[in-house]
Amino acid sequence: MSQTTALTFPTEFYDAYIFDMDGTIYLGDELLPGVKRLIEELRRRHIPVRYLSNNPTKDPQAYVEKLAKLGLPTDIKDIANTVVTMTNWLVANHPDAVVYPIAEQPLIDAFKAAGLKMSEDPSQIDIVVASYDRTFTYEKLQIAFDAIWYHKRARLVATNPDRYCPFPGGRGEPDCAAIIAAIEACTQTKCEMVIGKPNPAMLEAAISGLDVDPTRCVMVGDRLGTDIQMAVRTGMYSAMPLTGDSTLEEALALDEKDRPTFILDRLDRLVPAKEWEELGWSENDD
């Protein structure tokens, strides 16, 4: 795979494209430059498109609805987020465990639908699931503390490692890493599993059902520590648009093996230059 020395663009199309959403496809309620025509061109060429998110506060249907409003109609099977991957991981690995989710309703509802047992009784809890939870309270922390430290029975796992969720205008709010840190600090334990990006399980979920070679796929995302690191771990190509969290300077400061394969000023640069010319595209058009 080619290595990055500055802004770099692909010279060919690949077999499938997996996109992060926040900061890559959109920011807030606005599509980012070049996104719509890129997705439409990939669809026109019958190249699979999949979407990934570390955000466990929305279920896949919510993303279907948001993308549709932004002019990108999407099938629910094309979306995987940590609601899906955490639920699937628990069902596959701990189907009989009693779970305590520090989470918002979409994750709780997914656990219910999957038949997972849940409890707020620390003496019954086997697994504490830390998540991006804007309803986090001291009471929730106390339950986790009692289950892990006092009763010495529960393990700690988490949906995602993100420190914050970005907002338009450069603001953000604390994400799952803050919840993990609070529990680790008081219990003196360590989170055993983080199921979201950069865990390769997310990519496996995204390309499940596709007859493609993962090394011929591209992971596209704006965060070096999650999106790009996940691609590096799985041997995928990676592309980082400079529209979200990580910067060109941060990418170039990494060892070559950890850098994105491609760094883009706008997302439609994933279409090779030759095709740009054939399509008659201009940067003034989105």
Side-chain angles (χ1 to χ4, degrees), residues 212-226:
V212 294
D213 179 348
T215 63
R216 285 287 304 167
C217 300
V218 184
M219 175 65 215
V220 188
D222 66 302
R223 290 191 168 188
L224 289 165
T226 53

Side-chain angles (χ1 to χ4, degrees), residues 62-253:
Y63 285 110
V64 168
E65 294 169 3
K66 177 162 188 171
L67 290 169
K69 287 179 182 178
L70 293 173
L72 297 176
T74 303
D75 194 299
I76 197 167
K77 69 177 175 58
D78 295 341
I79 295 174
N81 73 334
T82 45
V83 168
V84 174
T85 51
M86 176 53 78
T87 303
N88 290 347
W89 182 80
L90 287 169
V91 169
N93 295 281
H94 303 283
D96 299 319
V98 177
V99 177
Y100 176 55
I102 298 178
E104 296 189 16
Q105 204 60 44
L107 190 62
I108 294 169
D109 289 344
F111 287 179
K112 286 180 182 176
L116 292 167
K117 296 184 285 292
M118 290 178 282
S119 176
E120 295 183 352
D121 181 351
S123 68
Q124 301 298 315
I125 297 168
D126 299 310
I127 299 176
V128 173
V129 179
S131 181
Y132 175 15
D133 183 5
R134 293 164 295 185
T135 66
F136 185 57
T137 62
Y138 195 88
E139 180 182 7
K140 291 183 177 183
L141 181 60
Q142 183 72 60
I143 293 171
F145 175 82
D146 287 343
I148 295 169
W149 185 85
Y150 179 69
H151 290 286
K152 296 185 177 5
R153 62 174 287 126
R155 305 164 59 188
L156 175 62
V157 301
T159 54
N160 58 295
D162 300 77
R163 295 179 294 108
Y164 69 94
C165 181
F167 288 171
R171 289 189 65 246
E173 64 185 12
D175 205 321
C176 186
I179 311 298
I180 297 170
I183 298 170
E184 288 183 336
C186 65
T187 62
Q188 294 185 305
T189 192
K190 287 293 182 182
C191 183
E192 296 182 20
M193 168 67 74
V194 180
I195 201 66
K197 298 178 291 185
N199 191 320
M202 288 289 285
L203 279 176
E204 292 168 8
I207 64 174
S208 176
L210 293 178
D211 185 20
V212 294
D213 179 348
T215 63
R216 285 287 304 167
C217 300
V218 184
M219 175 65 215
V220 188
D222 66 302
R223 290 191 168 188
L224 289 165
T226 53
D227 305 307
I228 305 307
Q229 186 55 226
M230 181 173 59
V232 169
R233 290 183 184 183
T234 57
M236 274 190 185
Y237 289 91
S238 60
M240 188 183 83
L242 300 175
T243 52
D245 185 55
S246 297
T247 66
L248 176 62
E249 292 72 24
E250 289 170 336
L252 297 181

Side-chain angles (χ1 to χ4, degrees), residues 234-277:
T234 57
M236 274 190 185
Y237 289 91
S238 60
M240 188 183 83
L242 300 175
T243 52
D245 185 55
S246 297
T247 66
L248 176 62
E249 292 72 24
E250 289 170 336
L252 297 181
L254 295 173
D255 291 340
E256 283 193 8
K257 63 181 177 59
D258 294 321
R259 294 177 189 168
T261 316
F262 311 111
I263 301 180
L264 317 169
D265 52 350
R266 47 187 290 146
L267 207 64
D268 50 3
R269 290 292 189 185
L270 282 169
V271 171
K274 179 182 177 182
E275 279 71 15
W276 260 66
E277 295 176 6

